[in-house]
Structures are given as C-alpha cells and as structure tokens.
Amino acid sequence: MRIKHLRVNHLENPIGYDFSYLKLSWNVEETAAKYSDEVQVIISETEDMNSLAYDSGIMHDFRQCSLEVQLNLKPRTRYFWKVFIGVHAAGLQSAEKAESETAWFETAKMEEDWEADWISVPENKRMPVLYRDFEVKSRIKKARLYIFGAGLYEVDINGTKAGDEYLLPGYHSYDLLMEYQTFDVTEIIKEGDNRISVLLGEGWYKGRFGFDDVYLNLYGDRKKCIAELYLEYEFGGTTRIITDAGWKAFAGNILENGIYDGERQDDTLKYEQLPVEVLQDDKSLLTARTNPPIRKTEEFNPISEEIHKDGYVLLDFGESITGWVEFYGILEKEQQIKLQYGEVLQNQEFYRENLRTAKAEFVYTSDGKERNVRPHFTYYGFRYVKVEGLRDHQKLIFHAYRIMSDIEETGSIYTSNTKVNKLFENTIRSQKCNFLDIPTDCPQRDERMGWTGDANIFANTACFHMDSSAFFRHYARSLYLEQKLMKGAVPFFAPRPKVPVRENTNPFYLDGGACIWSDAATMIPWTLYKYYGDVPLLREQYPMMKLWVEYIRMRSRENEVPDLWQNDRHLGDWLALDNGNIHNPIGKTDSQFLASACYYQSTLAVAETAGVLGLEEAQEYLELAERIKKAFIDFYFTKEGRLNIEMTQTACAFLLNIGLYPDHAKENLKEELKHLIEENNGHLNTGFAGTPVLCPALSENGMNSLAYDLLLNEEYPGWLHEVNLGATTVWERWNSLDENGVISGTGMNSLNHYAYGSIADWMYRYMCGFQPDIDKKINMIIRPMPDKRFSYVKGKWKSVFGTYVSNWSYQEQTGFQYDIEIPFNANAEIVFPNGKRCLLECGTYHFDNNGESL
Ligand code: BGC
C-alpha cells in the first residue's frame, strides 16, 4: 500500500498561501484493500515529526481521502505532515499499514505588520531595477523573501531568478487586496556579498488594459514594491533586509511593455542610476496569496520556419499557445528584430486583425552578444509568429513556452473517433490557454478579462479537465470583493477595472447583475463542492452565493410579477444563431425568461449549500425557490403546458436541465426541442446559455442519439466544423472562420475561447457517465450512455479519492461492454442504459451489454 499525492487545499507543498482553512488530502494506491480502517494524520513543526502541532489520533472506519484540520497557525512557519493508514479488511492475507512521505505547507506573514516600506522610482521609459547589496557573515540556515511588486515583478538574487514563476503577482483586484508571494531563497543566498534585485514592469496594474478605450494606470500610476527578506543563520540569530531608503535603483533594458501590446527590450542602453523614493502608501491590503503558481508548463519547437517572399521569417508552432517565444543566438550590435504574434493565417499570409488594438509584439535591440532573450511582462495568444529584421546568414533558435496556472490535469477521454478526440483536446487546450491566473475569455486580443459568464458555463468542464479548485478559489476572492462593492450585483468580469467614467464608457465596466454572467457567484462554488467536496471552501464562498441571490430578490421586488426577475438588462443567450441577424450577438431566447430561470437555479444552489452547511435558512431558500418556480410556471406556461414565449432550443434545453416546468409540460418541451433541432436541419443554434445544457438535456430526456448527432455533425454550425477547419482550440463563434477558412469578422472573433468547449462536460457526464457528488454517501453515479457510432470510448477522471475509469466498447455480436474502475475509499453507483443499477466499491469491474458482471 502506498499513500501518495499529499495536497493542502489542492496545492502541493504550498509556501506563503492563505490558510484560513486547511483541507489535507491524499490518495492510496497499490493495495488489495478497498477502504482505510484506521487513519491518523499528524502535523509537526519539525521535519523529524517530533514537535507535534496536531494529531488526529487514530480515526477508525475513516473512509475518506481528505481531512479538514483546525489548527492555530503561526506566521512564517513550515509545518510538516504525514498520514498513516491501516487496513484490516476481510479477505486480505494480513493487515496492512502504510506511512506516507512527509509533505509540508508554510505560512506567510499572517497578521504580522510589514516593517518594510513601499519603494519606487520616478516613472521612466525604462523599467527600473531596484536593488540592495548586503553581506552575509555566516552560514544561512533559512532565507525567506516576502514580496509584492506592482505592476509585475521578477526577483533576482546574485544572478539567479527567485522561483520558477512568471507574471507575478498575477492578476487580482489590486484595489481591494494585494496578494504577496513568499520565496524560499535559502539556496541562492551565499556567504559574503549578495545582491537582491527587483525588476518592475507595468502589467495589469498600470499598463494599457481594458477594451473599447485606452486605459492606463488602472490601479495606480507608479510602479512600486515592498519586500522583506528574513535570514536565519545556522549558528543562531536572524537579520532582515527590508525595502527602505537604503535601496538603490537603475534603469533596466526593458522599455514599453504591456499585457496587450508586448514588450520592447534594448540591450544597447547605457547605465543610468535612478533615485529611490520611499512611499507612505497603505499596506493594509497586503495579504497572502491564493493563486496556484504561474509557470512555464510546456515547450514547443516550431513545426515550420519559412522565409516569406517579403523577407520575414514565419514560425508555425503547430497549435494555439498562450505564453511567449524565446530566442537564442547572436545578433549584430544595434540590430533590431521584431516578433509579431497571430492566431491564424489568411491566404497563407500572417494575419492578426482579430487581435483588434493589441499590438502583441516583441521588439529587441541587440548589444551584439550571445543571449537568450525572452519577454518578462507580457504574454501572447498565438500559433504563428512573424519575425522581421533577421539578416540572411543569421540563425536564431526559437522556442515557444506555454505559461499558465500550473494546476494538475485530471481528466481524459479517448475515443474511436479521431475528430472527436481532436475536439476534446481542443477544449483542454483552450482551458490551458485561458487559465492564466484568472479564467480569461481569450488570450490574444485587447480583452483577456475574467468574464464571469464564460467562467460560469465552463466551470464544470474545467473541473473535469483539471483540478481547478485553488484556481477558482483565487478568482472567487476577487469576485466577492467586487460584488460587495457593487452591493451584490456581481460584475461582468472580475477583477473589474474601475475605468474613468466618461460619456461613452462601455457599461460593462460599470454595471453588474446579469443572469448567466453573475450566476458565476453561485454556480462556481456549487460546482466546486460537487466535484471536490470541500465543505470549508463552500463555507468561505457561501456569503458570495447568498449575496447574489439576495440581490436578485431585491431586484425582483421591483418587478411587476412578484418572484420573477424581468426588470434588468441581460446578455441572454449570447452569440446564439437563432435571432436571424448575425450582427446582433443576443440570441432569440427571451432574456427575462432566462433571468428568472437563473434566479431559480441560483436560489436552489444557495438552499442546497445552506443545507450542507447546516444552516437553518436552508428552508427559507427552498421556499423561495418554490415560489419562483410557481411564479415562473404561471407566467411562462399555458394551462396546457406549452411555453408562451417563442420557443428556442436554448429555452427548452435550459428548462429541461433545471427541472423548471409543470410536470405535464415535460413531454411538450422534449418534443419541441427535438422539433427545433430537426427544423434546423439537425443543427444546433444555441449560444452561451444554451450550448452547455443542450446535449445534457437531450441525453437526460430520451434523446441521447440526437445528442450524439449534434456532436458528430461536421457541418456549420457544430463542433466538428471547426475541427475540420484545423482548429486547435475552441472558437468564440460557431462561424469564427467560414467554410473556406476565411475569418468571418474582426470585431469580436477569437479562435481561443473556451465557452463552447463545455461539450466536453457532456462527454464526461453522459458519454462516459461520470456524475460526481463527492461529498455524498455515494460519491459518484456512473451512467454511461453509449452510442454504436463509436467502437470504443475510454474515460478517466482523477477525483480527490483517486482515478475513476469508465470505458465502453461496442461490437456487433456482443453489443456494449463496460469496464469500470473505482478508486480507494470511494464508491459509485453504476447505471446501465437498460436501467439496471449496482453499487460498486473500490476495484475493477467488467459488465456485458445487459449490465451483467463478466
Ligand atoms: C467576451 C465574452 C464575454 C462577452 C460578454 C466578449 O467580448 O469575449 O466572451 O462574455 O463579451 O459581452
């Protein structure tokens, strides 16, 4: 028996995080036992585990792979922890015992005051390097750096970059909190002379950011940093190096830089000292980080490198990437090269009109020395790079790197259909490309914001593909602070830049409170709970969920019809194709109808959450949900059980999916949905609201084969249409490129938008049948709904317990065969297409077409 994969709040050996709650988890493998009988978790302040801070004692019949621990933590302290497991299950040769390796987590400064001051330099075209020289007189035992830099920063100590992360401090609502980082720098500080340098850039904080206008200095007009370096000596004693008037600065080689426009670097610039100023800025927003590390997770070589007839070099990296290109080699002194990034070629030519105003370039002037050059304070969404300025004989080595929040991949599906596999991979790739500290809508154009609607509708898929718990916790932290500022009206994106209000300011910056988008505040926490079962996280997020429903309740009081929400502006079924006007992004489905349906869905989520948390108000929210349902049915259904608004695929699928109809109307809704698809020549025409629920509604309601038709449809509009046109990520629009590969418009047209990738949720949930409810007595329903058009489907999902497998195959003689695996301590109820059910515990199982054991 082996105990593996020790995590704290879903993070591996996290340093400097916010630990307002502690949920420890582990996996058990390599045992014939199915459950743990005895579990003990200990936490110590020393690695030898002799100085115990916590001991769970032996917990009998403990059939979990995670534990919430209550512990009064000390600041700047590393805690080591271990799990011991014993099994004495019947049927085993002998009792087994195992001890995990030691894992750890380390606190940040917690409530400790910052002794350091904010330091800055006068704003200059060149990015500053603030530094401090110091001498270390004896051997270092432990060195920790606590630091926040605005806009973006990188730390270097004695020529070595501290940590393996980029684009720190990441993106969050800097006006409401400032998440600082903690680095273990013990290895890079040496006895003798040392230099710590902090390079600052513009970033989201003060560089150009935001669509529809030029916004600068959104969070502040000065770059600045604050840092405390704690040194602990082997022979006792400590010292501290803190940012103060003793620091110096010079102007570095980085010139203009920004998230959208890219970066300019010039290695020919002369040394220029800069005066350091101490700022009296507020430090109260500084708080420990929550975001998973932002790292390089993949490296790519160009699949082709061609010299274009106009003299530039065109690099093709073969797939969409979010990150940047680095190059290595020698250029001539003062030679300048320029890289421009684009997503797609048009007529075999480099193209980037759909990036709108984002310049997305990198300009470098060489000092003639051999170098590895990379950007520091920007990123790009691209597949193609145009390189200008190289001379005939010159050869540089180019590599692209994916930069993303480094979270673990947990899901995979592999089928007998190559195109479906490509589609599935594209949905994962779009998540990778848009999970860069916050869930962005797209990674390439002048937008890249944390749109709440996109995050909401993709959250289920995201939690299958990757362990998205910590990532969404980080996002929700900003979301809740922004929501509170808006008195409950959840904004369209979080963080919400507070742009200067002008006459024509886009209302997206100013308003909030729209269905689907704002429902992120209820649906994301509820999704996280279903997938990961973390009660403390749900408890942390409950105030946000409740505040959102209370906001709608307040709005609905002003509505003519009590208990419905029909009095605000919504985006409704965004980008649906059913309104007959391709230029109008709002689909045909009545937005007020959708808003009231979402009000019901969010209220139910709050009621269920209150139930899980043991709160009395659960009943009140349940009653509210019942009232909304009644009002909804009275208003939107005729006595005969027909919808009295214009029927759309989205309207039918949405209601079927959340059970919002009078019982006698169900058959009508089903028929109507089928009819609407047939009427549209077997194609979908749904947008953001309808697409995630369309195939689930079909599979749940006896039309599974129609769901497969939609999946397999290769014509426009449909998912495989874009696969056929060479997409490597999911497009924003069903017609982002037309049949000939010509881009359909440039106003709002990204080739890397994960929203419609929510079809992967259906693939996990219905094709493979994974329906997790991890905190329940039965952790998972596995209800595969196969289709003969596939000869096999192999699905995996790694939960907190470990990996569930659901594979099926089809042969004409024998029909379907199912292979199921359930991880240690978990269970699952498997439901076969013929309705047969059985409860399985940990193990590997095989069933025939009728659900009989093989
Ligand atoms: C974004 C979205 C977003 C939408 C809402 C777009 O510009 O890219 O995906 O949800 O605006 O209006």
Side-chain angles (χ1 to χ4, degrees):
M1 176 162 63
R2 294 232 300 151
I3 309 171
K4 294 180 21 185
H5 202 266
L6 273 67
R7 295 289 183 274
V8 179
N9 300 349
H10 297 259
L11 298 160
E12 185 176 8
N13 296 338
I15 179 167
Y17 277 76
D18 169 274
F19 297 113
S20 9
Y21 65 85
L22 279 178
K23 181 102 192 243
L24 312 185
S25 60
W26 56 88
N27 290 162
V28 178
E29 289 172 14
E30 297 170 34
T31 172
K34 296 182 182 306
Y35 297 107
S36 45
D37 293 305
E38 290 170 357
V39 175
Q40 185 176 16
V41 175
I42 56 169
I43 304 177
S44 160
E45 280 182 43
T46 51
E47 202 168 357
D48 60 15
M49 303 309 284
N50 281 335
S51 163
L52 284 195
Y54 172 87
D55 184 351
S56 67
I58 295 177
M59 301 179 286
H60 295 278
D61 295 322
F62 188 82
R63 297 180 166 193
Q64 292 297 328
C65 285
S66 64
L67 178 71
E68 184 183 354
V69 165
Q70 311 289 347
L71 182 60
N72 280 330
L73 297 169
K74 297 183 196 159
R76 294 180 294 101
T77 305
R78 183 167 289 199
Y79 293 90
F80 299 88
W81 65 287
K82 260 185 177 211
V83 185
F84 300 87
I85 293 182
V87 295
H88 39 74
L92 288 183
Q93 289 286 321
S94 60
E96 272 186 275
K97 275 195 188 336
E99 177 180 340
S100 74
E101 311 239 294
T102 310
W104 55 263
F105 59 95
E106 184 174 317
T107 56
K109 284 168 61 68
M110 297 182 64
E111 304 305 319
E112 281 183 346
D113 284 337
W114 284 75
E115 237 186 83
D117 283 318
W118 288 103
I119 55 169
S120 181
V121 293
E123 286 294 309
N124 183 302
K125 254 193 127 177
R126 294 169 65 179
M127 296 303 105
V129 179
L130 294 90
Y131 67 95
R132 167 77 203 253
D133 293 324
F134 59 96
E135 198 189 338
V136 171
K137 292 213 175 88
S138 75
R139 280 249 290 283
I140 294 282
K141 182 169 149 211
K142 172 177 160 186
R144 291 292 185 272
L145 175 65
Y146 304 90
I147 179 166
F148 182 88
L152 295 171
Y153 74 93
E154 282 186 18
V155 184
D156 173 295
I157 295 177
N158 301 324
T160 303
K161 180 179 170 322
D164 56 359
E165 291 188 63
Y166 297 90
L167 300 172
L168 290 174
Y171 187 29
H172 46 266
S173 303
Y174 306 122
D175 50 337
L176 306 173
L177 81 167
M178 290 182 163
E179 292 198 358
Y180 64 87
Q181 281 70 46
T182 303
F183 294 91
D184 178 353
V185 291
T186 315
E187 298 298 319
I188 50 177
I189 292 195
K190 53 183 203 296
E191 246 183 287
D193 294 334
N194 288 268
R195 174 175 287 194
I196 173 168
S197 310
V198 182
L199 171 64
L200 294 176
E202 311 282 349
W204 295 276
Y205 185 87
K206 68 176 292 292
R208 177 167 89 91
F209 191 66
F211 56 94
D212 253 17
D213 206 334
V214 176
Y215 297 114
L216 290 164
N217 299 329
L218 283 166
Y219 298 93
D221 55 9
R222 300 203 53 180
K223 290 181 281 293
K224 59 182 183 180
C225 78
I226 187 164
E228 296 187 349
L229 174 63
Y230 284 68
L231 304 176
E232 221 177 286
Y233 299 100
E234 237 167 53
F235 304 107
T238 58
T239 45
R240 248 187 272 182
I241 311 289
I242 60 174
T243 45
D244 59 15
W247 283 54
K248 296 199 169 100
F250 63 87
N253 68 343
I254 300 178
L255 296 157
E256 296 96 324
N257 61 93
I259 298 294
Y260 300 151
D261 294 329
E263 189 168 311
R264 294 175 85 85
Q265 273 178 35
D266 187 344
D267 273 336
T268 65
L269 295 170
K270 300 243 152 44
Y271 185 85
E272 187 187 328
Q273 194 77 29
L274 298 172
V276 170
E277 274 177 68
V278 172
L279 305 179
Q280 297 311 319
D281 290 6
D282 182 25
K283 303 175 199 168
S284 66
L285 294 181
L286 289 164
T287 184
R289 73 186 291 180
T290 52
N291 59 336
I294 306 167
R295 295 196 178 112
K296 285 182 182 170
T297 57
E298 245 173 293
E299 183 184 315
F300 303 84
N301 293 321
I303 59 163
S304 82
E305 202 170 329
E306 278 171 25
I307 300 179
H308 187 270
K309 60 179 180 341
D310 295 341
Y312 64 80
V313 175
L314 182 66
L315 309 176
D316 175 1
F317 287 94
E319 64 177 75
S320 293
I321 300 166
T322 293
W324 59 56
V325 168
E326 302 189 4
F327 53 86
Y328 176 78
I330 309 183
L331 296 168
E332 284 164 33
K333 194 164 181 191
E334 282 178 3
Q335 184 182 349
Q336 195 174 75
I337 68 162
K338 176 154 138 187
L339 278 65
Q340 290 183 310
Y341 292 74
E343 287 195 289
V344 66
L345 301 182
Q346 291 284 279
N347 283 326
Q348 298 309 310
E349 298 283 329
F350 183 73
Y351 175 89
R352 56 201 219 117
E353 290 299 301
N354 67 324
L355 271 54
R356 300 196 305 217
T357 69
K359 279 200 208 136
E361 60 186 29
F362 182 79
V363 180
Y364 175 71
T365 310
S366 170
D367 57 357
K369 296 202 176 114
E370 183 169 4
R371 290 193 186 275
N372 187 62
V373 179
R374 71 166 168 96
H376 293 69
F377 300 129
T378 189
Y379 73 89
Y380 312 89
F382 65 99
R383 168 172 168 175
Y384 301 95
V385 178
K386 173 182 177 182
V387 184
E388 288 172 293
L390 282 176
R391 304 200 173 136
D392 285 350
H393 55 280
Q394 282 174 330
K395 181 95 187 106
L396 292 180
I397 297 169
F398 294 97
H399 291 292
Y401 291 92
R402 190 190 296 298
I403 313 278
M404 63 176 277
S405 294
D406 192 6
I407 56 180
E408 188 183 352
E409 274 190 59
T410 49
S412 69
I413 296 177
Y414 190 74
T415 78
S416 51
N417 183 314
T418 324
K419 289 183 179 173
V420 170
N421 293 344
K422 281 217 167 105
L423 167 68
F424 181 82
E425 282 166 24
N426 291 356
T427 69
I428 297 192
R429 199 173 289 116
S430 268
Q431 180 172 359
K432 290 181 177 172
C433 289
N434 282 295
F435 269 39
L436 206 172
D437 214 45
I438 57 158
T440 57
D441 55 336
C442 57
Q444 72 297 77
R445 68 175 177 228
D446 54 356
E447 201 152 345
R448 317 186 199 181
M449 327 243 323
W451 284 90
T452 45
D454 307 47
N456 176 16
I457 64 179
F458 190 71
N460 278 301
T461 314
C463 291
F464 274 127
H465 280 338
M466 298 177 204
D467 181 345
S468 303
S469 176
F471 179 83
F472 277 130
R473 180 186 179 213
H474 167 69
Y475 177 58
R477 209 184 197 194
S478 288
L479 186 62
Y480 180 44
L481 292 172
E482 301 286 7
Q483 179 198 20
K484 282 200 284 189
L485 268 195
M486 296 178 85
K487 305 206 163 50
V490 180
F492 285 97
F493 32 76
R496 181 176 71 94
K498 316 303 178 298
V499 301
V501 182
R502 300 173 188 142
E503 218 182 300
N504 55 352
T505 301
N506 191 319
F508 281 131
Y509 289 105
L510 312 173
D511 299 344
C515 73
I516 311 274
W517 273 254
S518 300
D519 292 300
T522 39
M523 301 323 292
I524 292 178
W526 187 239
T527 300
L528 294 178
Y529 174 66
K530 289 258 171 191
Y531 283 71
Y532 306 114
D534 292 325
V535 177
L537 178 59
L538 193 64
R539 203 181 295 130
E540 178 176 284
Q541 298 183 327
Y542 181 66
M544 169 173 80
M545 303 173 75
K546 183 172 157 177
L547 183 58
W548 170 232
V549 164
E550 286 304 326
Y551 174 85
I552 314 178
R553 172 141 62 168
M554 184 265 289
R555 295 296 305 139
S556 81
R557 286 200 185 105
E558 284 175 28
N559 191 46
E560 237 172 78
V561 186
D563 294 320
L564 294 186
W565 183 25
Q566 300 163 306
N567 46 339
D568 285 316
R569 211 173 64 95
H570 300 278
L571 297 174
D573 195 17
W574 185 250
L575 297 185
L577 298 171
D578 52 2
N579 65 9
N581 174 4
I582 200 87
H583 302 294
N584 175 4
I586 299 186
K588 183 158 104 182
T589 309
D590 184 292
S591 289
Q592 309 302 341
F593 157 93
L594 274 177
S596 296
C598 289
Y599 180 23
Y600 172 70
Q601 191 184 21
S602 277
T603 306
L604 264 190
V606 168
E608 291 188 76
T609 301
V612 172
L613 300 178
L615 302 173
E616 261 176 39
E617 62 207 40
Q619 189 53 31
E620 184 200 325
Y621 284 108
L622 217 49
E623 284 163 16
L624 176 59
E626 281 311 312
R627 284 205 303 279
I628 301 168
K629 182 168 183 175
K630 179 163 187 317
F632 190 94
I633 289 173
D634 289 350
F635 192 88
Y636 288 110
F637 282 91
T638 65
K639 291 237 152 34
E640 296 71 45
R642 298 224 165 254
L643 267 182
N644 60 20
I645 55 156
E646 246 190 300
M647 291 274 198
T648 60
Q649 295 179 7
T650 293
C652 298
F654 208 90
L655 296 193
L656 283 168
N657 207 46
I658 59 173
L660 183 55
Y661 45 77
D663 290 344
H664 66 291
K666 191 171 182 179
E667 287 308 313
N668 293 340
L669 284 173
K670 284 161 55 173
E671 265 166 43
E672 205 43 65
L673 178 55
K674 188 163 170 230
H675 167 73
L676 286 163
I677 295 171
E678 281 165 1
E679 197 183 61
N680 201 31
N681 295 324
H683 294 108
L684 53 75
N685 56 19
T686 50
F688 273 37
T691 304
V693 293
L694 183 60
C695 286
L698 293 170
S699 293
E700 281 293 349
N701 291 287
M703 296 176 280
N704 189 45
S705 157
L706 193 49
Y708 277 90
D709 291 348
L710 293 181
L711 171 74
L712 293 170
N713 180 9
E714 299 198 20
E715 291 162 11
Y716 165 77
W719 287 279
L720 294 189
H721 165 72
E722 52 192 72
V723 170
N724 280 341
L725 281 162
T728 61
T729 39
V730 179
W731 296 346
E732 177 169 21
R733 294 171 180 264
W734 294 115
N735 66 337
S736 283
L737 302 186
D738 72 14
E739 273 77 0
N740 303 314
V742 176
I743 196 137
S744 61
T746 55
M748 200 185 74
N749 197 357
S750 130
L751 302 184
N752 203 346
H753 239 67
Y754 52 52
Y756 291 163
S758 58
I759 184 62
D761 173 59
W762 175 85
M763 292 174 69
Y764 284 108
R765 204 173 278 276
Y766 294 94
M767 200 181 216
C768 305
F770 295 124
Q771 304 189 356
D773 206 344
I774 286 297
D775 197 39
K776 287 266 166 65
K777 264 218 158 80
I778 295 174
N779 317 131
M780 173 77 95
I781 308 287
I782 300 184
R783 183 160 63 116
M785 299 182 77
D787 187 282
K788 292 178 188 165
R789 283 168 279 183
F790 286 79
S791 55
Y792 64 85
V793 164
K794 296 172 192 284
K796 272 189 190 170
W797 182 57
K798 183 163 193 266
S799 72
V800 274
F801 292 104
T803 304
Y804 290 89
V805 173
S806 169
N807 297 343
W808 52 260
S809 55
Y810 176 75
Q811 275 180 349
E812 222 176 302
Q813 309 84 320
T814 46
F816 291 103
Q817 186 183 314
Y818 304 88
D819 305 304
I820 306 289
E821 259 175 66
I822 316 290
F824 188 83
N825 270 345
N827 59 27
E829 182 172 34
I830 169 152
V831 184
F832 295 97
N834 64 6
K836 189 170 181 284
R837 300 168 165 258
C838 59
L839 190 60
L840 305 177
E841 48 187 16
C842 167
T844 303
Y845 305 88
H846 309 284
F847 300 95
D848 70 9
N849 192 46
N850 301 318
E852 299 298 331
S853 248
L854 283 172

